[in-house]
Amino acid sequence: AQEQRFDSWKKIWIMRIQSFEMFESSSSSQLTQEQIDWCNKHIKGKWKVNSQGEIEAGDNVVIRGDLDKFIVKFAPVKGNFDCGKCKKLTSLEGVPSSVGGDFHCNNCTKLISLEGAPSSVGGSFNCDGCKSLTSLKGVPSSINGDFSCNDCTSLTSLDGAPSSVGETFSCNDCTSLTSLE
């Protein structure tokens, strides 16, 4: 009787392990090895692929490293999305379409456009120190928190800036601006 119980438990555990292995292989099977390596290198913390092939990395996502672009698409994020300090980043294509908290792409000194930025940001939007940024096109039309584009020294116009900001709008030290219109 004890041997039969052992065999039953053994079968249950084997089925669970096989189910987990199937989940693990299916969750990353939509990605290339290059994309898997990219996620492991640049995403701080755990991540997985959802049924739409988008990356889910928790409520607050932090991206770090010497990446020049996103080679994956991120799912909407409930909290914050931070890809600030990615000094080689040239494009926001691939960031979440919606961020419930704050969106940070500050100090991305090679970023020339905000096209691809989330269309919805529940908190603040920070693109301070993006010294190559020439336009604000791509920023959501409404920001609930602060909007900050300080020290964007190549920015010549505020065209594309949000029409509604719930807190502070700041564009200090944007030395190439010719108008605040």
Side-chain angles (χ1 to χ4, degrees):
Q2 200 168 6
E3 196 172 306
Q4 285 179 325
R5 274 190 280 168
F6 176 75
D7 285 342
S8 294
W9 279 107
K10 184 178 173 183
K11 286 178 186 177
I12 290 170
W13 279 107
I14 288 172
M15 287 173 32
R16 286 183 178 175
I17 290 169
Q18 288 171 338
S19 294
F20 179 75
E21 287 172 348
M22 285 174 51
F23 169 77
E24 283 286 297
S25 65
S26 69
S27 72
S28 62
S29 67
Q30 299 170 343
L31 300 180
T32 66
Q33 188 59 50
E34 178 187 20
Q35 290 171 314
I36 293 169
D37 293 343
W38 186 96
C39 289
N40 287 334
K41 180 178 180 181
H42 296 294
I43 299 172
K44 186 177 179 182
K46 296 181 181 182
W47 61 272
K48 67 178 183 176
V49 181
N50 68 18
S51 60
Q52 290 82 35
E54 300 170 321
I55 303 299
E56 293 180 356
D59 290 342
N60 294 299
V61 179
V62 177
I63 307 295
R64 291 292 183 251
D66 287 337
L67 64 142
D68 59 346
K69 63 182 177 180
F70 292 92
I71 64 170
V72 295
K73 173 71 177 144
F74 281 86
V77 174
K78 291 179 183 176
N80 303 326
F81 188 90
D82 182 355
C83 60
K85 301 178 186 161
C86 294
K87 296 195 181 292
K88 294 182 180 180
L89 189 64
T90 59
S91 171
L92 294 178
E93 295 296 326
V95 302
S97 60
S98 172
V99 173
D102 299 336
F103 179 79
H104 298 277
C105 62
N106 54 302
N107 298 311
C108 295
T109 56
K110 302 280 186 199
L111 193 62
I112 57 172
S113 169
L114 296 174
E115 298 286 338
S119 57
S120 170
V121 174
S124 297
F125 190 109
N126 180 342
C127 59
D128 291 345
C130 293
K131 297 189 181 290
S132 298
L133 194 63
T134 58
S135 168
L136 295 178
K137 290 181 180 164
V139 173
S141 61
S142 178
I143 304 285
N144 292 332
D146 298 323
F147 176 76
S148 181
C149 61
N150 297 319
D151 199 27
C152 293
T153 54
S154 296
L155 194 61
T156 58
S157 162
L158 294 178
D159 187 35
S163 55
S164 171
V165 175
E167 302 282 330
T168 304
F169 185 111
S170 180
C171 58
N172 298 319
D173 298 318
C174 294
T175 54
S176 296
L177 277 178
T178 57
S179 168
L180 295 178
E181 190 175 326

